[in-house]
Amino acid sequence: MRYKIVLQKSEEGYSVSCPGLPGCWSQGATEAEALENIQDAIREYLAAVDDLLRETPEATVREVDVAV
């Protein structure tokens, strides 16, 4: 999967967020580290969402394709 991210240089290094996943952000001392860290953060975010969905048995989970 591909996600758009926002990478910003700061005095401490780089901050990075994923606007499509509210609250999903990370940071790194270098751009490469920040990019690696946001990949981990996205994986963990999606795993947490899957866990929440499994804990809601009355909900029906479906997927849709969206052309952009």
Side-chain angles (χ1 to χ4, degrees):
M1 299 177 99
R2 296 179 67 97
Y3 289 93
K4 290 183 180 181
I5 60 162
V6 177
L7 182 69
Q8 295 180 314
K9 186 164 178 48
S10 69
E11 291 180 11
E12 296 83 26
Y14 291 85
S15 65
V16 61
S17 63
C18 183
L21 303 174
C24 185
W25 63 273
S26 193
Q27 61 186 12
T30 65
E31 183 176 336
E33 182 181 16
L35 293 174
E36 185 176 319
N37 290 344
I38 195 63
Q39 290 174 337
D40 290 339
I42 290 170
R43 279 194 277 296
E44 291 175 18
Y45 186 105
L46 296 175
V49 168
D50 281 345
D51 289 346
L52 287 172
L53 292 174
R54 277 192 280 272
E55 294 172 5
T56 312
E58 65 277 1
T60 300
V61 178
R62 297 183 183 178
E63 295 180 357
V64 296
D65 291 319
V66 178
V68 179

